[in-house]
Amino acid sequence: MDIFWLKVVHTLIAAVNASAVFYILYCGFCDRHGRWLNVSLVILAIELVCLIIFRGDCPLQLYARRHTGSDAHVSDLFLPDWMALKMIPFFTPITLVGLGLVARNEWRRRKRRTSSR
């Protein structure tokens, strides 16, 4: 795969992941639930599994390094390098807040269901 197409694919994946994280945060703040929240949670879970399997590195970054023969960071997104390198530290707290709010809302929903019986 040419590095241009790798950037296209990786940028699209990053955009989908970012959208999923912000949608989870939105659902947490607005107490929304449903199919799209579940889809977003699955997308987030897939990303997390990939990061765990590859020990914190994105598999597409590893592919780009192998493709270019470089051991250093290779620009594999249509983002400035400084921004690409900060994506995980930026999205981690947002993700944790969103997941915490969604979990709180689900807990409250279940509590209301059991107390109304």
Side-chain angles (χ1 to χ4, degrees), residues 86-104:
K86 303 269 189 240
M87 286 182 72
I88 291 177
F90 175 79
F91 280 105
T92 299
I94 295 170
T95 302
L96 293 174
V97 168
L99 289 173
L101 291 171
V102 166
R104 179 204 63 184

Side-chain angles (χ1 to χ4, degrees), residues 31-51:
D31 194 12
R32 305 264 186 197
H33 62 281
R35 177 183 309 149
W36 289 111
L37 175 59
N38 293 336
V39 168
S40 296
L41 292 169
V42 168
I43 289 169
L44 183 66
I46 291 168
E47 178 71 12
L48 183 61
V49 167
C50 285
L51 289 172

Side-chain angles (χ1 to χ4, degrees), residues 41-93:
L41 292 169
V42 168
I43 289 169
L44 183 66
I46 291 168
E47 178 71 12
L48 183 61
V49 167
C50 285
L51 289 172
I52 289 170
I53 289 171
F54 292 96
R55 298 185 181 121
D57 287 323
C58 178
L60 293 176
Q61 174 61 219
L62 298 174
Y63 177 82
R65 287 181 191 161
R66 200 173 319 122
H67 184 71
T68 60
S70 174
D71 288 335
H73 174 77
V74 176
S75 179
D76 62 338
L77 288 166
F78 285 115
L79 291 173
D81 281 345
W82 66 268
M83 189 181 291
L85 292 170
K86 303 269 189 240
M87 286 182 72
I88 291 177
F90 175 79
F91 280 105
T92 299

